C-alpha cells in the first residue's frame, strides 16, 4: 500500500513498453528454486516464493529484501497481493493457505486442506473474497476473508459429460465473473453474484485447460492449453481471434499472460533456455523474443506501470528485465563527439596550463623587450669542394646597434689574405 514514490510520476508514457535486456539479478544467496512470484498493484513490492517454502519480499526500487515470511514447509505454488497491498496470500504443496500482514509479517489466517493448494487469487473488486484452487478437485473454492466462510462454486453446465476431474479458475479483472476450465477442454463462465453458470464452450475435447489471462480493457482473454497453443478470445461473444504457438520448436507453454495495452507474453520450461516470447494482441504476430542466461524459468511477472519484467529460475536467481537505455552525452555537452573507436589525442603544450594573470603577462612582455640574446658561435659549414683554410667563425649580431665603421672594419679584415 501507500503512495507511489515521487520519481514514478515522471515516467514518460510514450516510451517503449517492451523490456529488452537483463538489468539486474536478485539473489538471496540460498540457492533454492524460485517457484512463484507476484508484484503489488503499485509495483513497489515483489514477492518471490521458494522451493523450501520461504517467501521473500523485495523492495523493487532498492532491490533489497525487506521482509521474509516463514511458515510453509514445502514449495510455494502461488502468491496473490490484496488490492491495497496490505495482505499477501500464499499457497504451498504442504496443503496450507496462509494470509500475512506485510506491515508486521504476522500470520493472520491459515487454512489446511486435504490436498495440495495450487492457486490463490484475491478478487479485484471485493477485498474480502479469495479464490482457492485445490489439486484434483472439480470445483473452485471461495473464502470470505472477513467472515471466514467457505463457498464451493458448484455451478454446472447443461452437459454433465463435460464435467472434468480437475479444474483451473481465475477472476476476470472486474471481479464479477469467474472463469473455470477443466481437463476436458471445457470453459465455464460463472456469475459471481448469483453463482450460476452464464455460459460454457469447448476449446477442444482432447486438451486440458492450464490457465487464463485477461487484457486490461477486458475486450480479450486467453487460454493456455496442453496442446501447445495459446488461444485468444473476444469477451463479447467468446469468439476465437488468434492461435499463438511456436512454429519451429512447438513448445509447451508453462504460463501465458497479457501485459501492457498491446502485448501477450509466454514462456516454456521444457528446456534450459531462458526465452520469453512476445506477441502483438492486435494482430497475433510474434514481435520479439527475449533471450536470457541459460536457466529454466519457473515463473514470471510484469511490472504494472513500467516496461519491466521479472523472471524466476530454478537456480534461485531472479532476473530483472528493462528497456535498453542509450546514453546521449551531446544533450549535456553540445560540442561532444561520439567516437566509434579509440583515437590518440595529442594535446598542445599549453592546453592544460593555468592562464596567466594580467600582471604576469605584462611582466613577461617587459622581460622580453629587455632580453639581450648572447653572442654565440655557429659553424658556417664550408662546402666539401672547398678547402677549409679559413678557420674564422661568424658571430651572430647583438640586438644592440653596432656602428657602421666597426662593421666596415670587420669586413675589410676578413678579406685580407693571411700572410704565409
Amino acid at each position: 500500500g501507500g503512495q507511489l514514490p515521487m520519481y514514478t510520476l515522471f515516467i514518460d508514457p510514450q516510451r517503449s513498453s517492451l523490456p529488452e535486456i537483463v538489468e539486474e539479478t536478485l539473489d538471496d544467496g540460498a540457492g533454492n528454486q524460485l517457484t512463484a512470484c507476484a508484484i503489488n498493484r503499485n509495483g513497489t513490492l515483489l514477492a518471490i516464493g521458494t522451493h523450501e517454502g520461504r517467501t521473500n519480499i523485495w523492495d523493487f526500487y532498492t532491490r533489497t529484501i525487506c521482509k521474509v515470511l516463514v511458515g510453509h514447509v514445502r514449495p510455494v505454488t502461488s502468491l496473490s497481493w490484496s488490492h491495497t497491498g496490505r495482505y499477501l496470500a500464499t499457497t504451498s504443496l504442504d496443503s496450507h493457505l496462509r494470509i500475512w500482514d506485510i506491515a508486521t509479517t504476522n500470520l493472520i489466517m491459515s487454512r489446511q486442506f486435504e490436498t495440495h493448494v495450487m492457486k490463490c487469487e484475491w478478487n479485484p473488486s471485493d477485498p474480502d473474497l479469495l479464490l482457492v484452487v485445490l489439486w484434483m478437485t472439480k470445483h473452485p473454492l471461495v473464502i470470505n476473508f472477513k467472515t471466514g466462510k467457505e463457498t464451493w462454486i458448484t455451478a454446472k453446465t447443461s452437459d454433465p459429460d463435460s464435467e472434468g476431474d480437475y479444474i483451473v479458475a481465475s477472476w476476470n479483472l472486474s471481479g464479477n465473473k469467474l472463469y473455470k476450465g477443466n481437463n476436458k477442454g471445457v470453459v465455464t463462465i460463472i456469475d459471481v453474484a448469483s453463482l450460476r453458470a452464464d455460459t460454457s464452450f469447448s476449446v477442444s475435447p482432447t486438451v486440458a485447460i492450464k490457465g487464463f489471462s485477461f487484457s486490461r480493457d477486458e475486450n480479450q482473454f486467453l487460454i493456455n492449453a496442453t496442446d501447445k497453443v495459446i488461444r485468444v478470445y473476444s469477451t463479447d461473444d467468446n469468439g476465437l481471434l488468434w492461435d499463438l504457438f511456436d512454429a519451429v520448436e512447438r513448445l509447451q507453454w508453462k504460463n501465458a499472460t497479457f501485459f501492457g495495452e498491446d502485448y501477450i507474453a509466454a514462456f516454456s520450461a521444457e528446456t534450459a533456455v531462458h526465452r520469453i516470447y512476445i506477441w502483438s494482441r492486435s494482430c497475433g504476430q510474434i514481435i520479439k523474443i527475449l533471450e536470457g542466461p541459460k536457466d529454466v524459468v519457473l515463473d514470471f511477472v510484469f511490472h504494472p506501470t513500467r516496461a519491466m519484467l521479472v523472471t524466476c529460475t530454478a537456480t534461485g536467481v531472479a532476473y530483472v528485465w528493462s528497456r535498453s537505455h542509450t546514453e546521449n552525452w551531446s544533450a549535456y555537452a553540445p560540442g561532444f563527439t561520439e567516437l566509434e573507436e579509440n583515437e590518440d589525442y595529442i594535446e598542445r603544450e599549453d592546453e592544460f596550463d593555468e592562464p596567466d594573470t594580467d600582471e604576469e603577462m605584462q611582466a613577461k612582455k617587459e622581460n622580453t623587450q629587455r632580453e639581450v640574446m648572447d653572442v654565440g658561435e655557429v659553424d658556417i659549414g664550408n662546402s666539401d669542394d672547398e678547402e677549409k683554410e679559413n678557420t674564422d667563425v661568424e658571430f651572430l649580431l647583438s640586438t644592440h646597434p653596432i656602428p657602421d665603421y666597426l662593421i666596415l672594419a670587420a669586413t675589410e679584415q676578413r678579406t685580407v689574405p693571411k700572410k704565409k
Side-chain angles (χ1 to χ4, degrees):
Q3 294 183 347
L4 287 173
M6 179 62 70
Y7 46 82
T8 61
L9 302 178
F10 299 97
I11 298 173
D12 184 1
Q14 300 301 323
R15 298 177 67 183
S16 171
S17 55
L18 284 177
E20 298 168 327
I21 60 172
V22 174
E23 177 188 82
E24 194 172 354
T25 59
L26 306 179
D27 189 355
D28 62 0
N32 293 299
Q33 293 182 5
L34 307 182
T35 55
C37 59
I39 195 166
N40 66 350
R41 190 169 60 94
N42 292 335
T44 56
L45 296 178
L46 171 68
I48 299 180
T50 66
H51 188 269
E52 68 174 4
R54 187 179 67 253
T55 299
N56 296 323
I57 309 298
W58 292 79
D59 185 314
F60 194 76
Y61 293 108
T62 63
R63 308 292 165 82
T64 56
I65 296 178
C66 56
K67 304 283 185 180
V68 178
L69 308 179
V70 180
H72 295 294
V73 295
R74 296 196 64 187
V76 176
T77 55
S78 73
L79 304 163
S80 181
W81 289 93
S82 65
H83 185 75
T84 61
R86 175 67 183 270
Y87 304 111
L88 178 70
T90 64
T91 62
S92 169
L93 294 181
D94 63 4
S95 304
H96 279 83
L97 162 71
R98 300 180 187 274
I99 300 177
W100 309 81
D101 186 334
I102 297 302
T104 62
T105 67
N106 291 334
L107 180 65
I108 58 177
M109 177 182 285
S110 179
R111 294 288 178 92
Q112 183 176 8
F113 301 92
E114 297 180 354
T115 184
H116 307 313
V117 189
M118 305 308 297
K119 179 181 179 179
C120 63
E121 183 182 353
W122 290 96
N123 187 290
S125 59
D126 190 336
D128 295 331
L129 298 183
L130 183 65
L131 172 67
V132 179
V133 177
L134 305 179
W135 184 64
M136 296 299 291
T137 56
K138 296 183 178 182
H139 307 291
L141 174 67
V142 174
I143 298 177
N144 189 303
F145 172 64
K146 182 179 294 185
T147 63
K149 180 182 178 182
E150 297 182 1
T151 304
W152 290 94
I153 309 301
T154 58
K156 298 181 180 180
T157 62
S158 58
D159 183 7
D161 295 334
S162 65
E163 295 296 326
D165 297 326
Y166 63 91
I167 56 95
V168 295
S170 290
W171 306 108
N172 67 348
L173 295 188
S174 298
N176 60 348
K177 303 290 183 182
L178 181 63
Y179 283 65
K180 181 181 75 170
N182 61 27
N183 62 321
K184 292 186 177 181
V186 177
V187 175
T188 305
I189 303 175
I190 302 170
D191 181 73
V192 174
S194 63
L195 298 182
R196 295 178 179 274
D198 278 353
T199 184
S200 65
F201 62 93
S202 176
V203 173
S204 173
T206 60
V207 304
I209 307 301
K210 298 172 63 177
F212 299 93
S213 181
F214 303 88
S215 63
R216 287 183 179 179
D217 57 13
E218 296 193 70
N219 290 330
Q220 297 177 2
F221 67 95
L222 66 81
I223 297 174
N224 182 22
T226 55
D227 61 350
K228 305 179 182 180
V229 177
I230 300 170
R231 295 170 174 83
V232 182
Y233 292 86
S234 170
T235 54
D236 293 334
D237 55 2
N238 300 325
L240 180 63
L241 299 176
W242 317 109
D243 285 336
L244 311 179
F245 55 89
D246 181 9
V248 178
E249 301 183 34
R250 298 293 297 182
L251 297 173
Q252 183 73 251
W253 306 111
K254 181 175 176 61
N255 195 0
T257 182
F258 286 92
F259 78 96
E261 299 292 339
D262 306 309
Y263 306 108
I264 297 171
F267 73 90
S268 172
E270 287 187 349
T271 61
V273 177
H274 197 144
R275 189 177 296 163
I276 308 297
Y277 293 77
I278 299 177
W279 294 267
S280 170
R281 56 169 284 203
S282 60
C283 63
Q285 297 295 320
I286 190 165
I287 57 176
K288 198 176 191 66
I289 300 177
L290 303 180
E291 295 274 358
K294 290 186 177 180
D295 205 346
V296 178
V297 181
L298 299 182
D299 200 6
F300 71 168
V301 63
F302 284 86
H303 195 278
T305 60
R306 305 178 66 182
M308 304 187 76
L309 161 71
V310 178
T311 53
C312 297
T313 65
T315 58
V317 178
Y319 296 88
V320 180
W321 298 71
S322 68
R323 296 180 63 255
S324 177
H325 301 281
T326 303
E327 296 179 344
N328 183 14
W329 291 99
S330 61
Y332 301 95
F336 181 84
T337 302
E338 185 175 356
L339 301 178
E340 296 295 335
E341 297 180 356
N342 292 335
E343 294 182 4
D344 293 332
Y345 177 74
I346 301 176
E347 65 181 61
R348 301 189 309 272
E349 184 177 354
D350 59 345
E351 183 173 359
F352 298 104
D353 295 345
E354 294 183 359
D356 296 329
T357 62
D358 295 341
E359 293 77 5
E360 292 176 343
M361 294 181 66
Q362 183 65 26
K364 286 184 177 181
K365 184 176 181 180
E366 293 176 355
N367 292 337
T368 302
Q369 293 176 351
R370 291 195 302 266
E371 184 178 349
V372 178
M373 184 177 294
D374 294 336
V375 177
E377 297 181 354
V378 177
D379 188 358
I380 61 176
N382 296 323
S383 172
D384 294 339
D385 298 335
E386 299 179 357
E387 295 181 1
K388 300 181 179 180
E389 295 180 353
N390 191 355
T391 58
D392 295 339
V393 294
E394 188 175 69
F395 297 92
L396 296 177
L397 297 178
S398 171
T399 56
H400 291 281
I402 300 176
D404 293 341
Y405 70 89
L406 292 179
I407 297 176
L408 180 61
T411 303
E412 293 176 351
Q413 182 181 2
R414 289 173 59 87
T415 58
V416 175
K418 293 183 180 181
K419 294 182 181 180
K420 295 181 180 179

